[in-house]
Amino acid sequence: MTEDKLRYPALFIDLDKLRHNTRHLVELCSRRGVDVAAVTKVYCAIPEVAAAQASCGVRWLADSRVENLRRMKHIPLPKMLLRLPSPSRVDEVVEVADISLNSEIATLEALSGAAVRAGRTHEVLLMVDLGDLREGVLKEDAVPVARRIVELPGLVLAGVGVNLTCYGGVLPSTDNLGELVRTAEEIEAACGVQLKIVSGGNSSSLKLMQSEGLPERVNLLRLGESIVLGLETADGTRIPGTHRDVFTLTAEVVELKEKPSMPIGETGRDAFGQTPVFEDKGIMRRAILAIGRQDVRIDGLFPRDRGAEIIGASSDHMLVDVTRCERPLKVGDMMEFDLSYGGLLSAMTSEYVSKKTL
Ligand SMILES: *Cc1c(COP(=O)(O)O)cnc(C)c1O
């Protein structure tokens, strides 16, 4: 839940902009017959934020964590667990998720037991590894694993999926997604089932979709970063028609002085055991902000003030070169930052950063 009393650093979430981005991507996908699972993990599934996305035409709410899915239980959309279930937590998985992504027979057997105990059916998306080398069965093992899923009571094989551009950086292509479709068809022929889902990846598949390269049967994408940050993840470019500033990190200036750019005196290691290197830029106007490496991932922050540049941070202080900053600043002023995916993840999970929806 977001907090009432504002303290800084603060992370602001603009729900109108998020709804706009969500609708825009749902619309782009629906033109190609593709449904969207809105991935909520980067904002820790804050219920108010997830509810905003749920009203925008997405078919699923998807998260990697059982805890996050539980927070969204009251939102009337089916829930997808994105991370492979842990065998020790299958009962919770069956309770909070309608479908989960799977690749291990032992886990599927445990899930089947949990589903039977709970008197429910749990859907399975069988993950196929097409070369990115994160989760998934190898192509040649897909049919035997699918056969086993079909036998297991309490489970329904809903479809196949792939995850790309995550570990190995392998890009989605008509070839590798074509293999996913062929795998789905082999399973259908071998097991006598009809698969309703062929999930062709995450935000990095949008570019291929836009160039009409998605094979016909791919009918679901799981979209996180593209919606929340308006970024194309295959190459990091902006997605036209989306807002880049759904999230704003704001931190307060606590010191503002002209200082040399080179430390004075003999230098050793910094607070993190690194030996720092400096470039002599003469006298600088330097702002210290009340935010540091214990709060967020500093290399995931980008100042919105033109001319301002982050030069470093210790655990509690971030240094910004504001020599060429166009806005006149004083102590007590706030500076705003855009965030990368990693920066956003770190700010969201930080208890030192307050969260506020707009
Ligand atoms: C996080 C995640 C996604 C979303 O990825 P984005 O690049 O943010 O769109 C999709 N699928 C799985 C399995 C994930 O873990």
Side-chain angles (χ1 to χ4, degrees):
M1 232 18 104
T2 61
E3 298 161 32
D4 292 333
K5 185 174 178 313
L6 203 54
R7 57 184 169 81
Y8 295 91
L11 183 67
F12 294 96
I13 309 167
D14 187 321
L15 295 182
D16 281 337
K17 287 181 176 169
L18 180 64
R19 278 189 282 258
H20 170 95
N21 285 7
T22 310
R23 283 197 199 98
H24 185 76
L25 283 161
V26 165
E27 164 64 22
L28 285 183
C29 291
S30 77
R31 275 185 231 153
R32 275 99 180 164
V34 172
D35 287 333
V36 172
V39 174
T40 56
K41 66 189 183 203
V42 77
Y43 60 82
C44 304
I46 295 176
E48 185 188 359
V49 183
Q53 284 209 284
S55 68
C56 296
V58 303
R59 294 289 291 271
W60 299 85
L61 291 176
D63 205 290
S64 50
R65 289 170 196 264
V66 166
E67 292 79 359
N68 290 355
L69 290 174
R70 195 184 293 288
R71 302 173 83 183
M72 301 191 288
K73 233 182 146 183
H74 61 286
I75 303 176
L77 270 186
K79 312 295 181 318
M80 176 180 287
L81 178 66
L82 291 171
R83 187 155 69 179
L84 302 177
S86 302
S88 63
R89 300 187 69 181
V90 288
D91 291 291
E92 291 172 88
V93 171
V94 165
E95 182 201 339
V96 301
D98 301 278
I99 188 169
S100 57
L101 278 47
N102 283 276
S103 65
E104 286 290 355
I105 287 179
T107 308
L108 288 157
E109 289 171 349
L111 270 178
S112 163
V116 170
R117 276 193 295 283
R120 292 176 173 235
T121 9
H122 183 77
E123 292 190 314
V124 173
L125 194 68
L126 177 61
M127 296 303 280
V128 184
D129 193 327
L130 296 175
D132 199 55
L133 306 184
R134 206 178 74 175
E135 74 275 50
V137 297
L138 297 174
K139 245 182 330 180
E140 53 273 28
D141 297 329
V143 168
V145 175
R147 275 210 182 91
R148 182 73 184 122
I149 297 170
V150 171
E151 285 169 10
L152 285 169
L155 298 187
V156 171
L157 180 59
V160 293
V162 67
N163 203 48
L164 293 163
T165 341
C166 254
Y167 172 72
V170 173
L171 293 170
S173 65
T174 306
D175 278 352
N176 55 29
L177 293 183
E179 285 184 33
L180 182 68
V181 171
R182 266 195 303 285
T183 305
E185 288 165 352
E186 280 168 27
I187 290 173
E188 290 178 329
C191 305
V193 292
Q194 181 69 31
L195 300 181
K196 68 172 183 182
I197 302 175
V198 178
S199 180
N202 53 38
S203 296
S204 68
S205 295
L206 286 169
K207 206 178 183 85
L208 185 68
M209 182 185 82
Q210 292 288 74
S211 61
E212 311 300 341
L214 278 192
E216 185 95 4
R217 267 203 75 179
V218 171
N219 60 3
L220 178 71
L221 293 181
R222 310 175 306 268
L223 302 181
E225 184 166 354
S226 52
I227 297 181
V228 297
L229 293 179
L231 292 177
E232 163 56 60
T233 58
D235 60 9
T237 54
R238 291 284 316 276
I239 300 175
T242 59
H243 296 289
R244 171 69 180 87
D245 57 352
V246 171
F247 295 87
T248 302
L249 184 82
T250 303
E252 188 167 1
V253 177
V254 291
E255 185 185 293
L256 190 65
K257 294 191 191 304
E258 313 261 320
K259 290 189 184 178
S261 43
M262 295 289 285
I264 302 151
E266 197 184 337
T267 58
R269 301 195 307 165
D270 69 13
F272 288 83
Q274 310 283 311
T275 307
V277 234
F278 298 93
E279 186 192 342
D280 193 352
K281 296 185 182 170
I283 297 289
M284 266 182 185
R285 190 162 174 76
R286 296 156 74 100
I288 299 183
L289 272 60
I291 188 169
R293 286 158 75 163
Q294 194 167 18
D295 305 290
V296 289
R297 185 172 157 169
I298 301 293
D299 65 4
L301 304 187
F302 306 93
R304 290 214 182 128
D305 275 299
R306 291 242 303 267
E309 193 189 335
I310 297 172
I311 51 180
S314 57
S315 28
D316 315 299
H317 299 88
M318 179 164 79
L319 305 174
V320 184
D321 177 0
V322 294
T323 315
R324 279 169 297 278
C325 178
E326 292 173 3
R327 183 164 65 111
L329 285 168
K330 58 181 188 316
V331 169
D333 280 352
M334 300 295 168
M335 290 188 79
E336 294 185 342
F337 298 84
D338 286 318
L339 301 111
S340 68
Y341 191 78
L344 180 55
L345 206 63
S346 69
M348 279 304 321
T349 54
S350 169
E351 64 171 290
Y352 300 109
V353 176
S354 56
K355 286 76 178 180
K356 178 88 183 126
T357 51
L358 300 174

